Amino acid sequence: MTTLPQSMFATVLLHDGFTGSPTGPYIDDAGDWLAEAELPVPEPGPGQVLIKLRAASVNPSDIHFIKGEYGQPRVKGAAAGFEGCGDVVATGKGAEALQDQRVAFVTGGSGAWAEYVLAPAIMCIPLRPEISDEDGAAQIVNPLTAMAMVDIARASGNAFVLSAATSQLGKLMCSLGHDLGLKPIALVRRPETVEALKELGAAEVLVTTHPNVVQDFSQICRELKPRVFLDAVVDQLSEQVFCAMPNQARWICYGKLSAEAPTLTQSGQLIFMGKQIEGFWLTNWVTSTPPEDQARVVAEVQARFADGRWKTDISERLSLKALVPNLASELQKSGGKVIITP
Amino acid sequence: MTTLPQSMFATVLLHDGFTGSPTGPYIDDAGDWLAEAELPVPEPGPGQVLIKLRAASVNPSDIHFIKGEYGQPRVKGAAAGFEGCGDVVATGKGAEALQDQRVAFVTGGSGAWAEYVLAPAIMCIPLRPEISDEDGAAQIVNPLTAMAMVDIARASGNAFVLSAATSQLGKLMCSLGHDLGLKPIALVRRPETVEALKELGAAEVLVTTHPNVVQDFSQICRELKPRVFLDAVVDQLSEQVFCAMPNQARWICYGKLSAEAPTLTQSGQLIFMGKQIEGFWLTNWVTSTPPEDQARVVAEVQARFADGRWKTDISERLSLKALVPNLASELQKSGGKVIITP
């Protein structure tokens, strides 16, 4: 067993609990929510492992979380960050099999934005050697979400709608949908992204700022009959999209990129057309999906990264010590993920 | 076979199709939507029966329909009215068994507010002699909806929430819920109705105009954990009620008594708490429920009316010829149904 240091550098939460007024996954200054700290290196308890970080990722859920608008409460002074990749350097009882393995992980609560990370063994996936540390750092949250949600879409027909299609998760879903013979209908904000998304596999791409977007979408609905809308935006346009979809359509919210609160203008869509509005959260999927189904999905995710069908686009790499001063400005760049290195 | 007249008095629709701007089941003047007409007495086609009207009822769905805000388009000049009770005086091929029977009926499209009504044989229920014509005229839409929705509630726990609890349908659901050992949590507008609803079977009654209604409801939720909200109002208070309910809650909209369009203020309720928003429409229930289950529910409805556990409270009786001039003012009275007689 490697000799471990007593303390480590970590990026920690400044606030406890939840906020009462969510404003979305955006920040002006990471220093409003995060601080640098020297913490004791934690010891793994039963079923846990200690991981020496190789790379961590920044997901929208991390930003919602540090601001207190995610599905679990913050603990002031604890390290932030949900997801990463690293080497298991110590194990608790029952987790010995992971010792010395390179793993992708998600933490039980938070803690990935630190030199050492505690994670439940069941949330660690040993990585195939072909997979880079950076792909490993974004191996679970987005890819499993993409797999699980496209599975839901596939059960309801040949076409599905997705918003924020240029996000990492959106791109994964476009290419996966295409590979499965489905027709992804992608909603994007910026016209310059249309061609790239079509190359990735989107059957149709609509620009949400175009004045005729709802009419154009309605026309596409008549042809393709999409019955699932995977929505990370959840604004008034989302509601119009939902209303334009055919009967039995499901509006599945999995993010909240817009600060606008949508109004339900047509209750008849729910009553007469059998439509419904619901949510998707990977944490609920993990607790409600049988382990063998999860293992199948995890293996498929790794296979797709290993052979290059999927990759993580990186917009910037930041060291842990450069994170707080630079995170806000780096997040404003589009086109890829911010990756954190120790 | 009785000799039938050539023509009949009917109350007919003034407009075609749908309106683009629903305003709810309220009218200032029935003459804006309905006219009196002399129509030919229709002839039953295959699977249809001709019914001589004894009594018809006025449901909120009728008012939504005449205004063009219901789940099916209006046909200008056709008789209005969905539900009633009468004697089968002629039958089409395959419907001969109903000849001369007194039946409760719902029409395929519309037509109950006329001296003679065409209905599909499968939408006719022969009535037990103990059931009055007036109870027979409100035997299907509200009672089956109550049965079907309380069934949904029962599958999700011991308590459920209902709005507009003083409506006929609300009262049926309170007493049925109580008889099944459930705890109905009733929302009402008027404080003076609280005691009567408790006597009918409501476990809790909350007055929606009370300033602390949401806090009081939250407290009740912690004790009773209702997971189904049967909502005929669908306004902003409904959204607050939904947000206060425990995880996995379902907001089931089945009417639209409020003209207010609710805003979804907390997408996290859908994403993290596994809640969903959906609708209920009896027409969809009829097409998706096996005939033997429907027959069981119909028999239970008649048994409840026959032995007095359920009854239809009548606010006013109007003859067909008095309908257009008086309907708007009679609908403003609370406490019961408007019944139409030939």
Side-chain angles (χ1 to χ4, degrees):
Chain A
M1 202 156 140
T2 333
T3 309
L4 295 172
Q6 293 291 310
S7 72
M8 65 178 188
F9 184 86
T11 306
V12 301
L13 300 164
L14 268 181
H15 306 283
D16 262 319
F18 297 105
T19 176
S21 47
T23 52
Y26 312 101
I27 49 175
D28 292 326
D29 181 352
D32 295 339
W33 313 101
L34 297 171
E36 300 175 348
E38 196 72 15
L39 294 185
V41 171
E43 280 183 35
Q48 291 183 322
V49 300
L50 183 70
I51 296 160
K52 185 172 194 298
L53 191 74
R54 285 173 177 258
S57 57
V58 180
N59 290 308
S61 52
D62 288 304
I63 307 304
H64 282 295
F65 178 64
I66 66 176
K67 296 176 72 181
E69 51 191 60
Y70 197 62
Q72 54 216 62
R74 295 168 293 183
V75 177
K76 184 176 167 176
F82 285 130
E83 180 175 31
C85 152
D87 301 300
V88 175
V89 292
T91 58
K93 196 171 156 57
E96 296 83 357
L98 287 170
Q99 180 69 40
D100 297 329
Q101 297 216 46
R102 189 176 67 120
V103 296
F105 66 86
V106 290
T107 60
S110 57
W113 298 352
E115 290 175 299
Y116 291 87
V117 185
L118 220 48
I122 55 163
M123 302 302 259
C124 293
I125 301 171
L127 285 169
R128 292 164 53 156
E130 312 94 293
I131 295 184
S132 71
D133 289 344
E134 291 180 344
D135 277 344
Q139 187 79 186
I140 301 181
V141 174
N142 279 340
L144 289 195
T145 302
M147 283 278 184
M149 291 203 302
V150 173
D151 251 10
I152 292 169
R154 183 158 55 155
S156 297
N158 294 320
F160 65 95
V161 188
L162 72 163
S163 64
T166 55
S167 70
Q168 282 301 301
L169 181 46
K171 288 189 281 190
L172 297 179
M173 291 197 289
C174 282
S175 70
L176 177 61
H178 175 263
D179 292 353
L180 293 171
L182 306 178
K183 292 187 188 304
I185 302 165
L187 305 177
V188 300
R189 266 183 309 128
R190 290 170 295 128
E192 62 270 26
T193 61
V194 170
E195 283 314 308
L197 274 174
K198 285 194 173 167
E199 272 170 39
L200 263 177
E204 302 281 352
V205 184
L206 290 153
V207 180
T208 55
T209 50
H210 192 285
N212 292 331
V213 59
V214 175
Q215 294 93 310
D216 294 348
F217 177 74
S218 301
Q219 181 59 40
I220 290 169
C221 282
R222 280 189 282 277
E223 287 167 32
L224 299 185
K225 304 220 181 304
R227 288 205 158 76
V228 167
F229 175 23
L230 304 169
D231 185 19
V233 178
V234 188
D235 62 1
Q236 201 58 46
L237 182 67
S238 296
E239 196 262 355
Q240 292 180 270
V241 162
F242 174 63
C243 289
M245 290 173 73
N247 61 13
Q248 310 298 325
R250 295 163 66 189
W251 177 8
I252 301 177
C253 308
Y254 72 92
K256 183 62 181 140
L257 294 174
S258 168
E260 184 180 53
T263 294
L264 299 180
T265 60
Q266 299 182 36
S267 55
Q269 297 284 335
L270 304 168
I271 300 171
F272 305 125
M273 297 186 71
K275 298 187 183 184
Q276 61 184 48
I277 309 172
E278 56 195 289
F280 179 90
W281 190 26
L282 186 62
T283 303
N284 287 338
W285 181 84
V286 168
T287 52
S288 65
T289 302
E292 60 272 22
D293 289 345
Q294 295 188 39
R296 180 182 52 77
V297 172
V298 163
E300 173 66 15
V301 165
Q302 285 217 42
R304 296 185 70 88
F305 276 99
D307 67 14
R309 280 175 292 167
W310 274 355
K311 68 180 173 61
T312 302
D313 295 328
I314 314 282
S315 68
E316 189 58 66
R317 292 159 182 88
L318 288 175
S319 73
L320 270 174
K321 289 187 174 153
L323 183 61
V324 176
N326 297 295
L327 181 59
S329 58
E330 293 305 336
L331 285 175
Q332 279 159 27
K333 295 182 184 168
S334 58
K337 257 201 180 326
V338 175
I339 291 286
I340 303 168
T341 55
Chain B
M1 202 154 139
T2 334
T3 309
L4 294 172
Q6 291 291 308
S7 72
M8 64 178 188
F9 184 85
T11 307
V12 302
L13 300 164
L14 268 181
H15 307 282
D16 262 318
F18 297 104
T19 175
S21 47
T23 52
Y26 312 100
I27 50 174
D28 292 326
D29 181 351
D32 294 340
W33 313 102
L34 297 170
E36 300 174 347
E38 196 72 16
L39 294 186
V41 171
E43 280 183 36
Q48 291 182 322
V49 301
L50 183 70
I51 296 161
K52 185 171 194 301
L53 190 75
R54 285 173 178 258
S57 56
V58 180
N59 290 308
S61 52
D62 288 304
I63 307 303
H64 282 295
F65 178 64
I66 66 176
K67 295 175 73 181
E69 50 191 59
Y70 197 63
Q72 55 216 59
R74 294 168 294 183
V75 177
K76 184 177 166 174
F82 285 130
E83 180 175 29
C85 152
D87 300 301
V88 175
V89 293
T91 58
K93 195 171 156 56
E96 296 83 358
L98 288 171
Q99 180 70 39
D100 297 328
Q101 298 216 44
R102 187 176 67 121
V103 296
F105 66 85
V106 289
T107 59
S110 57
W113 298 352
E115 291 176 298
Y116 292 86
V117 185
L118 219 48
I122 55 162
M123 303 300 260
C124 293
I125 301 172
L127 284 170
R128 292 162 55 154
E130 312 93 293
I131 295 183
S132 71
D133 289 345
E134 291 181 346
D135 277 342
Q139 187 77 186
I140 300 182
V141 174
N142 280 340
L144 289 196
T145 302
M147 284 277 184
M149 292 203 302
V150 173
D151 252 9
I152 291 169
R154 183 157 54 154
S156 297
N158 294 320
F160 65 94
V161 188
L162 72 164
S163 64
T166 54
S167 70
Q168 281 301 301
L169 181 47
K171 289 189 280 189
L172 297 179
M173 292 197 288
C174 282
S175 70
L176 177 61
H178 175 264
D179 291 352
L180 293 171
L182 306 178
K183 291 187 190 302
I185 302 166
L187 305 176
V188 300
R189 267 184 310 127
R190 289 171 296 128
E192 62 270 26
T193 61
V194 170
E195 283 314 309
L197 275 174
K198 286 194 172 168
E199 271 170 40
L200 263 178
E204 302 279 353
V205 184
L206 290 153
V207 179
T208 56
T209 49
H210 191 285
N212 292 331
V213 60
V214 176
Q215 294 93 308
D216 293 347
F217 177 73
S218 301
Q219 181 59 40
I220 290 169
C221 281
R222 280 189 283 276
E223 288 166 32
L224 298 185
K225 303 219 180 308
R227 287 203 158 77
V228 166
F229 175 22
L230 304 169
D231 186 18
V233 177
V234 189
D235 62 1
Q236 200 58 45
L237 181 68
S238 297
E239 197 262 355
Q240 293 179 268
V241 163
F242 175 62
C243 288
M245 290 173 73
N247 61 11
Q248 310 297 325
R250 295 163 68 187
W251 176 8
I252 302 178
C253 308
Y254 72 90
K256 183 63 180 140
L257 293 174
S258 168
E260 184 180 52
T263 294
L264 298 180
T265 60
Q266 300 182 35
S267 55
Q269 297 283 336
L270 304 168
I271 300 171
F272 304 125
M273 297 187 70
K275 298 186 182 184
Q276 62 185 45
I277 310 171
E278 56 196 288
F280 179 90
W281 191 28
L282 187 62
T283 303
N284 288 338
W285 181 85
V286 168
T287 53
S288 65
T289 302
E292 59 274 21
D293 290 345
Q294 294 189 39
R296 180 182 52 77
V297 171
V298 162
E300 172 66 16
V301 165
Q302 286 216 42
R304 294 185 71 88
F305 276 100
D307 66 16
R309 280 174 293 168
W310 275 355
K311 68 181 174 57
T312 301
D313 295 327
I314 313 283
S315 68
E316 189 58 65
R317 293 161 181 85
L318 287 175
S319 72
L320 270 174
K321 288 187 175 153
L323 182 62
V324 176
N326 297 295
L327 181 59
S329 58
E330 293 305 336
L331 286 175
Q332 277 158 26
K333 295 182 185 169
S334 57
K337 259 203 177 326
V338 174
I339 291 285
I340 302 167
T341 53

